[in-house]
Amino acid sequence: MADREGRSGDWKTRERRDRSKSMDGRPKMDSSPDLDCPDKTEPKINEERMKDIRKSATGETHGGENKDFGTGVRPDQWLQEENKKMNSLFHRLHLEGRHHNKLRAADVLQITKHSLQSHESCAEDELVQTFIQKLLMMNYRARFIHGNKASEQVRARQRDNNSEDEGTIFDNVFKVISLSNNGTSQSDQIHPMDIQMAVFHCADGFLKQLMVTKLSQCQYALPLLVPDPFTQQIEFPLWTFRQINKSWKMRNTNNEAISQTQPIYKAETPMVFFFRFGSVSSSKSQLMNSLINEKHNTFFHRNCPGSSRTRVLMDGVVEIAWFCSSGSYDDKFTECLAFCNLHGDAGDHEKQLQILTEMASVNVVLLPRLDRNDRSMTKLENLYKDSKPLIFLLTEDVSTLVEIQKGKYKVGLKDRSQADVSEALRRALNDCLSESSYAFRLEDVSKHSDIRVDEEDDDDCRRGREAAQQMMSLLEKKDLREIKESFLPHQGKLWHQWSQKNKELHRPQGDEIEMDISRKQTDLKKIRKQQHQLATVQTELEGISEELQDAVFGLEHIMREIGQIYESCSSVNENKKDLQIHFSSLPSLAAEMMISGFPLELMDGDAAHVPVIWISAVLDELVQKLGDQRVFVLSVLGIQSSGKSTMLNAMFGLQFAVSAGRCTRGAFMQLIRVSDEMKTQMNFDYILVVDTEGLPAIFGEIICQKLKEPIEQSLYKKTARELANEMRTECASLKGNRSNLEKHILKTLAEEEDFDKYMDYIDNPRDHFKSFIRDEVRQYINDKFSISVLPKMKENTKLLQQKIMKAAHESTEHVQVNSGDAGLWLKSFTQQLSDELIFSQKHLSGVKHDDVDDFNLLEDVIRQELNAIMSDISSRFNKNTFPENLDYKFRPDELLIDHLCQCCWVQCPFCKAICTNTIENHGEDHSVPFHQVIGLSGIYFAKTNNLSVHICTSAVAKHNLHFHPIDSEDKVPWREYRRAGGVYANWSITPDLSELPYWKWFVCRFQKDLEKHYSKTFEGQGKIPDEWRKYSKHDAIESLDKYI
């Protein structure tokens, strides 16, 4: 079966190769079928090719082995059948004609219904669009899709079978198997890798590159050698690898982890080549995955979701993937290691086998049990004799890892778990790699003859490469600063001066007069004229050197230069002398780039300026080319390296620049078409996505974004402190000490006459006090927000903004005096604010600022951003957010609680009165000026249900009064209460007749509530004196003012 790396007709695949080659070995490109009409005459096979086929069919090659075509099918008939299969596949995928009329990035970069869904099955005519959408969005399950049609037909068969009469076990069981073993038919499910490769074959060079870049980002294997499905000419798609970098870590001789990042096409690494002869029972791809990443299907294999029994386009394809070491001690391999995988029987793909075995550091071959005269034995014997390491994986062998001779190993696979096999193979590979001196460089594959290299044979790729080489010839051996000054003169000092003047013009000061404004306008015109007089270096728009990939130089700089040329020419309405085209045509080029799916810089990332004339002209050209379309603009803002570009790339399948340690520079926009089926649903025709980040200007933005939370907390905390201090002088209940607070609590309780609140005060005094303070603060804020709280916040906002700008300005002066960099600026800035904000350099760790050198611009950006931040904080400041946005411990009520409640809370063991000592855990005895009626705490007379009406200070003066301590039957005289020990011994209760009328009123007012609460009564010895009933609520409240 095809997806099992083997085929029942091994000979067939071999005989497809090179069938369209002419006598000189070059492909005859006109021999491909017309895919629009799959039933038309198939490609003609040249006479030399037919001779090869007849030889193979009669056993004249491969050791005399005669591989027939299944049931006596002639070679020409078999070739026609093979072409019919491929035509059928392209027809089912709706890719007819696309083998010549290639798909472009613009054809697939669009919003469709598939963009909004995540289904893994769809109609066959939607498979291509679903796959490409998922891939561009970096959905790693992109290859797990399958069509609905095949599964529907299987269910239909099952229904037909169920409707038949009962049959024998053979009819009911084996009949299904025979159905499923039929040859490829229209009802067979399309293999996911056939979908990927069909799109790959039908894509132009730029879409291929985009596909491979996305495959790499999904950690999938990448096509390295690809036979054309109709001519079998082998192609090496070198262009598609140009954008891919790989990073890994290795340990040096000092055992230090060293990081490396390289463009993968020129990285020199060891390479392990896996291939098989014959049909084998084990999955080679699955075994390779276990070596690279056992949790991810880097290579698609037979057990992957969506896999089917037929596979049309994968035989002969070589895929490549990389293991990137992390530098940790448990890495499977200690360096970056390339893995190449030849699909299909290696005997049928001699060219691929020859190239890869020559370039590999280690060869690994998967074998069934072979006869001595098997057609593959000659090749195996040559590989065995070669000095290069070779590992045999034997599917019918039970042996463990065995070193046959130096550099030659065999590993048995039969009756062994994959984990065991993987570990044995890992050990063998590491042994081989330690001895092998062969290094693999992907770019060197192009040196082999008889293969097509896209960069040399594809017109688009060739033009792009030539343009890049022309650029490199100009830039060779030049310093980056010199390159910018020489070849990008329009975005140098003059452009920065113009940007600064333009900002000053549009941000006039209050005392500025018309003369000043006119002078600035004149200066702007002078600078434009100077720009116009600069020499122009003619360059192509495509390509840039790999040597500058990690430098601050890219395509955006070239487009920016073109934009500045256009603006300077427009301002003087004159073409440049050395400009070979009229400047008015430049916006059209940029518009074409956007329509083709490339991002365009909207805002200059170095000057923090939008070239309005240029951008307006480009957008006008877009309107001319596309018509007046409805456009939805989507902008994403955020701090540097927070993943905005990655998110947009994943959401829409875009190409905003993303790489480790390097962020988007400026603001970029990319146009996405909305498909016809979605236009009515979404009510617009295009989405313009704007990605902003990485401005040396957004270093300022970044600082302000990081400052936002500390600023808000500082403002809220300072306002809270000031408010708490004000309440301690203006709020009657919160003035003074806790005794004053308690007096107001008792007054409030009397006014409200709520028994439950009284009991809460008696049983849980500390919590009751805290609750009372919070209620008071809440009420104060509500009553005084507009006249007290809000003015404080505004004043603090103004003062803090002034302090931050002063710190920024003084830091700029400090850096300029000391010829410092952004690091020195940041250190000075944070130190000056250390008393105001919780903010330090560590809050910006990981944010690159090496290219920030315009500190006046930085100060200007901070001023703008700070205004916006302060406005945002002020707009959200209200009665509700004030306490909610503060850390709990900094709220004004908590500050007052800390001030008033850090004292002693021990209660009298008799009446529950609270010790009035202002020190918590004090050393002296506890005491209170006024004790309460002890019946309030539930104390009653022994052997009765009568609650006591004694007051502690009068009870200790009596000679004949006793009490039972808590949890004791002992009798202790009240006069000698300290004898009871424990909590009693630490209280000082002075015998006197001082009483607070408040509690006498309370007992009378809430007699029934107390009796119900304790299930006791104020009767007998506990009868309430009639004198007590004379006190009114007014008397009770007055007594508080009199005695406390």
Side-chain angles (χ1 to χ4, degrees):
M1 287 166 44
D3 61 307
R4 291 191 176 180
E5 305 286 0
R7 297 174 60 107
S8 56
D10 296 290
W11 192 88
K12 301 177 188 177
T13 312
R14 173 173 56 83
E15 296 307 339
R16 284 210 311 266
R17 74 177 184 276
D18 297 337
R19 61 172 174 267
S20 65
K21 284 187 181 178
S22 59
M23 293 294 289
D24 62 357
R26 297 297 293 169
K28 292 179 65 178
M29 300 309 291
D30 62 344
S31 65
S32 296
D34 183 346
L35 292 177
D36 285 311
C37 303
D39 294 328
K40 286 187 178 181
T41 305
E42 304 299 334
K44 293 182 179 179
I45 310 299
N46 63 46
E47 191 60 33
E48 289 297 317
R49 182 73 185 115
M50 286 302 299
K51 287 179 182 178
D52 289 342
I53 294 172
R54 292 190 186 101
K55 283 182 181 179
S56 294
T58 56
E60 294 179 33
T61 60
H62 290 293
E65 179 178 316
N66 185 359
K67 293 275 187 177
D68 64 28
F69 288 88
T71 54
V73 179
R74 296 197 314 273
D76 54 344
Q77 290 177 325
W78 174 82
L79 286 170
Q80 290 177 0
E81 286 299 318
E82 288 294 289
N83 277 339
K84 281 183 179 179
K85 288 181 184 179
M86 277 180 266
N87 283 329
S88 173
L89 172 67
F90 283 90
H91 175 72
R92 290 172 67 183
L93 292 175
H94 289 248
L95 290 174
E96 302 101 324
R98 286 297 190 178
H99 199 247
H100 299 292
N101 181 23
K102 298 291 190 181
L103 286 168
R104 302 169 302 147
D107 296 325
V108 296
L109 282 173
Q110 58 178 315
I111 303 297
T112 70
K113 65 180 181 179
H114 307 291
S115 310
L116 311 176
Q117 299 171 346
S118 59
H119 303 307
E120 292 183 0
S121 64
C122 61
E124 276 192 355
D125 60 353
E126 298 175 343
L127 279 171
V128 167
Q129 192 66 38
T130 302
F131 166 77
I132 200 69
Q133 285 280 330
K134 286 178 177 288
L135 178 61
L136 295 184
M137 293 177 181
M138 293 180 289
N139 183 339
Y140 80 99
R141 299 186 67 83
R143 295 192 307 193
F144 297 164
I145 59 171
H146 57 273
N148 293 329
K149 185 173 181 180
S151 57
E152 289 169 2
Q153 292 186 353
V154 170
R155 288 194 292 271
R157 285 180 188 170
Q158 291 172 342
R159 287 195 296 271
D160 292 342
N161 291 339
N162 292 339
S163 66
E164 295 173 358
D165 295 335
E166 277 191 33
T168 65
I169 185 172
F170 182 85
D171 292 331
N172 290 336
V173 177
F174 296 101
K175 188 175 182 181
V176 177
I177 295 175
S178 65
L179 280 170
S180 67
N181 274 336
N182 281 342
T184 304
S185 70
Q186 188 71 8
S187 64
D188 284 325
Q189 182 172 300
I190 298 177
H191 196 283
M193 291 304 293
D194 280 341
I195 301 171
Q196 174 183 309
M197 295 311 298
V199 176
F200 188 83
H201 286 300
C202 294
D204 71 3
F206 296 106
L207 180 55
K208 280 183 180 177
Q209 186 181 69
L210 179 58
M211 284 181 64
V212 169
T213 301
K214 298 291 184 177
L215 285 169
S216 175
Q217 290 168 341
C218 291
Q219 304 300 315
Y220 281 152
L222 312 178
L224 178 67
L225 294 178
V226 184
D228 184 281
F230 295 100
T231 68
Q232 289 300 295
Q233 172 70 46
I234 300 171
E235 180 184 78
F236 169 40
L238 174 58
W239 176 267
T240 67
F241 291 90
R242 291 291 188 186
Q243 289 189 336
I244 301 172
N245 290 335
K246 291 288 182 182
S247 299
W248 65 92
K249 289 183 180 179
M250 299 172 59
R251 292 196 169 270
N252 61 15
T253 53
N254 296 326
N255 206 28
E256 300 168 327
I258 306 298
S259 298
Q260 290 194 43
T261 300
Q262 290 190 34
I264 202 59
Y265 67 87
K266 68 175 185 180
E268 293 190 7
T269 69
M271 186 268 280
V272 181
F273 175 43
F274 280 73
F275 57 99
R276 67 170 171 82
F277 285 114
S279 181
V280 295
S281 58
S282 299
S283 170
K284 168 167 50 70
S285 298
Q286 192 169 8
L287 182 57
M288 294 177 73
N289 290 345
S290 70
L291 294 170
I292 300 172
N293 183 352
E294 63 272 11
K295 297 180 180 179
H296 181 63
N297 293 314
T298 307
F299 294 96
F300 195 94
H301 57 84
R302 72 184 67 166
N303 297 317
C304 287
S307 180
S308 66
R309 70 187 185 88
T310 58
R311 191 181 67 183
V312 179
L313 298 177
M314 282 302 290
D315 277 5
V317 172
V318 178
E319 290 186 297
I320 186 169
W322 287 265
F323 171 88
C324 294
S325 52
S326 66
S328 65
Y329 295 101
D330 57 354
D331 277 345
K332 292 183 177 179
F333 305 99
T334 58
E335 58 190 326
C336 182
L337 186 60
F339 285 85
C340 289
N341 183 7
L342 171 59
H343 294 276
D345 188 337
D348 296 333
H349 309 289
E350 295 180 7
K351 189 63 182 179
Q352 294 94 314
L353 182 66
Q354 173 210 333
I355 292 172
L356 272 301
T357 51
E358 286 178 7
M359 299 188 74
S361 308
V362 182
N363 288 308
V364 181
V365 58
L366 198 66
L367 296 171
R369 184 177 296 279
L370 296 178
D371 295 331
R372 184 176 295 274
N373 62 347
D374 190 279
R375 61 175 181 149
S376 307
M377 289 305 295
T378 302
K379 296 184 180 64
L380 288 171
E381 188 172 351
N382 291 335
L383 290 170
Y384 189 76
K385 290 178 180 178
D386 190 19
S387 61
K388 185 171 293 185
L390 177 64
I391 301 174
F392 296 95
L393 302 178
L394 307 174
T395 61
E396 304 303 319
D397 197 308
V398 295
S399 61
T400 56
L401 176 61
V402 177
E403 186 172 15
I404 308 167
Q405 63 180 53
K406 186 173 179 60
K408 302 296 187 291
Y409 297 81
K410 74 171 183 177
V411 179
L413 306 185
K414 189 174 183 180
D415 300 330
R416 299 185 65 191
S417 70
Q418 182 166 290
D420 287 345
V421 173
S422 177
E423 176 58 22
L425 182 54
R426 184 194 66 80
R427 293 202 311 271
L429 283 173
N430 277 319
D431 288 345
C432 292
L433 291 169
S434 65
E435 300 292 332
S436 176
S437 59
Y438 294 92
F440 169 79
R441 199 167 93 138
L442 188 144
E443 198 172 33
D444 292 343
V445 177
S446 63
K447 297 177 181 177
H448 289 265
S449 60
D450 296 332
I451 64 171
R452 180 179 183 272
V453 182
D454 57 356
E455 290 187 356
E456 298 170 359
D457 298 324
D458 183 276
D459 288 341
D460 289 334
C461 295
R462 186 176 66 253
R463 284 199 301 271
R465 183 185 181 191
E466 289 171 355
Q469 288 174 338
Q470 182 182 354
M471 171 79 71
M472 282 308 302
S473 67
L474 295 171
L475 305 182
E476 276 179 356
K477 299 179 181 178
K478 286 186 173 65
D479 178 75
L480 181 60
R481 186 180 297 275
E482 183 185 351
I483 289 171
K484 286 190 171 183
E485 290 177 355
S486 302
F487 298 102
L488 307 175
H490 294 79
Q491 50 195 288
K493 292 180 180 178
L494 288 175
W495 168 230
H496 284 267
Q497 288 173 11
W498 191 96
S499 298
Q500 185 61 35
K501 289 283 185 186
N502 190 61
K503 289 172 191 169
E504 293 172 5
L505 179 65
H506 290 89
R507 297 173 196 158
Q509 301 299 313
D511 57 350
E512 207 165 46
I513 60 176
E514 287 298 322
M515 188 67 73
D516 297 321
I517 295 173
S518 178
R519 177 179 50 77
K520 290 177 182 177
Q521 291 172 335
T522 303
D523 290 344
L524 287 173
K525 290 179 182 177
K526 286 182 180 177
I527 294 172
R528 279 300 191 201
K529 187 167 282 189
Q530 288 177 291
Q531 270 191 313
H532 184 71
Q533 293 167 353
L534 292 170
T536 304
V537 177
Q538 280 295 305
T539 61
E540 296 287 342
L541 300 185
E542 305 96 327
I544 200 63
S545 154
E546 64 270 15
E547 294 180 10
L548 298 175
Q549 287 295 319
D550 295 324
V552 190
F553 188 97
L555 178 61
E556 68 269 22
H557 292 86
I558 299 174
M559 294 306 299
R560 189 185 298 169
E561 187 74 5
I562 291 172
Q564 283 306 301
I565 291 171
Y566 178 81
E567 289 211 340
S568 64
C569 290
S570 298
S571 65
V572 299
N573 197 24
E574 181 183 323
N575 211 52
K576 281 182 172 290
K577 293 180 181 178
D578 52 351
L579 192 63
Q580 297 174 9
I581 58 175
H582 197 271
F583 76 89
S584 60
S585 64
L586 295 175
S588 178
L589 297 175
E592 286 292 344
M593 284 185 63
M594 289 192 69
I595 293 171
S596 299
F598 290 91
L600 182 70
E601 186 178 61
L602 174 65
M603 179 179 183
D604 184 331
D606 292 320
H609 188 80
V610 177
V612 178
I613 299 172
W614 165 246
I615 294 299
S616 299
V618 173
L619 295 178
D620 287 343
E621 284 292 332
L622 276 177
V623 172
Q624 290 291 323
K625 294 175 183 294
L626 300 176
D628 192 9
Q629 304 287 331
R630 299 166 297 176
V631 178
F632 180 87
V633 181
L634 174 66
S635 299
V636 178
L637 302 173
I639 64 172
Q640 180 178 334
S641 303
S642 59
K644 295 182 300 302
S645 301
T646 302
M647 180 187 74
L648 289 173
N649 291 348
M651 285 176 65
F652 299 108
L654 303 182
Q655 305 178 72
F656 289 123
V658 176
S659 62
R662 185 182 178 202
C663 65
T664 315
R665 298 278 304 185
F668 291 81
M669 57 183 179
Q670 187 165 352
L671 198 64
I672 310 170
R673 184 165 64 89
V674 176
S675 66
D676 293 337
E677 62 182 341
M678 295 299 293
K679 285 180 181 178
T680 54
Q681 182 177 333
M682 302 182 79
N683 293 322
F684 43 83
D685 306 295
Y686 285 88
I687 296 179
L688 187 69
V689 181
V690 179
D691 181 24
T692 61
E693 193 170 48
L695 311 171
I698 149 150
F699 180 54
E701 182 181 313
I702 291 163
I703 289 173
C704 289
Q705 288 295 328
K706 290 287 189 180
L707 279 174
K708 186 173 184 178
E709 186 176 344
I711 286 173
E712 188 170 48
Q713 283 297 310
S714 176
L715 290 173
Y716 277 56
K717 284 194 289 188
K718 187 173 183 184
T719 304
R721 283 196 302 270
E722 292 175 354
L723 184 63
N725 291 335
E726 178 180 287
M727 292 183 70
R728 287 172 58 185
T729 60
E730 299 296 326
C731 186
S733 61
L734 302 175
K735 289 179 180 179
N737 56 19
R738 191 186 69 181
S739 294
N740 177 66
L741 174 60
E742 185 170 22
K743 179 175 71 173
H744 282 82
I745 289 174
L746 293 174
K747 283 184 178 182
T748 302
L749 288 170
E751 293 289 355
E752 295 178 351
E753 296 189 51
D754 187 321
F755 177 74
D756 291 335
K757 287 186 178 179
Y758 263 114
M759 296 312 296
D760 181 62
Y761 164 79
I762 293 169
D763 292 335
N764 306 292
R766 177 181 285 198
D767 290 341
H768 191 88
F769 272 63
K770 290 181 179 180
S771 179
F772 180 84
I773 293 172
R774 292 187 182 111
D775 289 342
E776 289 287 275
V777 172
R778 191 179 300 113
Q779 190 62 44
Y780 191 90
I781 290 174
N782 283 333
D783 294 344
K784 301 289 184 78
F785 187 79
S786 298
I787 62 174
S788 178
V789 184
L790 194 55
K792 284 182 175 58
M793 184 66 171
K794 288 182 177 178
E795 180 64 19
N796 290 333
T797 301
K798 178 182 175 182
L799 292 173
L800 183 56
Q801 188 167 357
Q802 290 173 350
K803 289 178 180 178
I804 292 172
M805 287 315 305
K806 182 183 178 186
H809 181 69
E810 291 182 357
S811 298
T812 298
E813 289 184 337
H814 180 64
V815 167
Q816 290 171 343
V817 169
N818 293 282
S819 302
D821 58 7
L824 181 62
W825 187 97
L826 190 58
K827 181 179 180 181
S828 172
F829 180 72
T830 54
Q831 285 177 346
Q832 291 185 65
L833 293 176
S834 59
D835 292 337
E836 299 290 334
L837 303 173
I838 301 176
F839 182 73
S840 64
Q841 284 180 278
K842 70 179 182 182
H843 288 90
L844 290 169
S845 60
V847 177
K848 292 180 70 67
H849 46 70
D850 299 340
D851 52 346
V852 178
D853 53 11
D854 190 338
F855 298 102
N856 289 320
L857 174 61
L858 176 59
E859 189 179 333
D860 190 37
V861 171
I862 289 177
R863 181 178 292 105
Q864 296 173 52
E865 293 297 320
L866 200 57
N867 279 329
I869 287 174
M870 293 305 195
S871 297
D872 180 56
I873 292 173
S874 298
S875 68
R876 292 185 289 105
F877 182 73
N878 56 49
K879 297 176 184 178
N880 296 323
T881 59
F882 178 46
E884 290 174 1
N885 287 357
L886 268 171
D887 283 346
Y888 189 79
K889 62 183 177 180
F890 297 119
R891 293 179 182 178
D893 49 6
E894 295 304 314
L895 294 174
L896 288 166
I897 287 171
D898 282 347
H899 172 68
L900 293 166
C901 297
Q902 294 295 335
C903 50
C904 184
W905 289 96
V906 177
Q907 291 177 271
C908 172
F910 299 108
C911 69
K912 290 197 173 181
I914 309 161
C915 174
T916 54
N917 198 303
T918 57
I919 301 174
E920 199 168 11
N921 301 319
H922 57 86
E924 306 88 3
D925 286 340
H926 302 294
S927 62
V928 294
F930 295 98
H931 282 265
Q932 300 162 183
V933 178
I934 64 176
L936 300 186
S937 63
I939 293 178
Y940 60 96
F941 289 98
K943 299 180 181 178
T944 74
N945 283 326
N946 300 333
L947 288 168
S948 174
V949 291
H950 287 301
I951 295 173
C952 301
T953 50
S954 61
V956 295
K958 298 183 184 298
H959 295 280
N960 58 346
L961 201 60
H962 298 76
F963 70 94
H964 294 282
I966 299 169
D967 300 328
S968 174
E969 293 298 322
D970 297 337
K971 287 175 60 175
V972 179
W974 266 91
R975 292 186 65 176
E976 301 175 21
Y977 68 91
R978 288 185 188 261
R979 281 175 46 196
V983 295
Y984 302 96
N986 297 326
W987 270 87
S988 173
I989 305 174
T990 307
D992 60 45
L993 298 176
S994 59
E995 300 168 347
L996 192 62
Y998 183 92
W999 293 112
K1000 296 177 180 179
W1001 166 81
F1002 171 75
V1003 171
C1004 297
R1005 168 63 181 82
F1006 293 102
Q1007 176 183 345
K1008 293 189 179 302
D1009 298 283
L1010 287 165
E1011 290 175 340
K1012 182 178 179 182
H1013 184 76
Y1014 290 116
S1015 300
K1016 302 285 189 293
T1017 62
F1018 286 103
E1019 294 177 348
Q1021 296 180 73
K1023 182 180 179 182
I1024 298 172
D1026 293 338
E1027 191 69 22
W1028 289 17
R1029 299 193 184 277
K1030 293 178 182 180
Y1031 293 114
S1032 65
K1033 180 167 73 173
H1034 178 73
D1035 296 330
I1037 292 173
E1038 271 197 342
S1039 71
L1040 294 173
D1041 287 328
K1042 183 178 180 180
Y1043 295 109
I1044 299 179

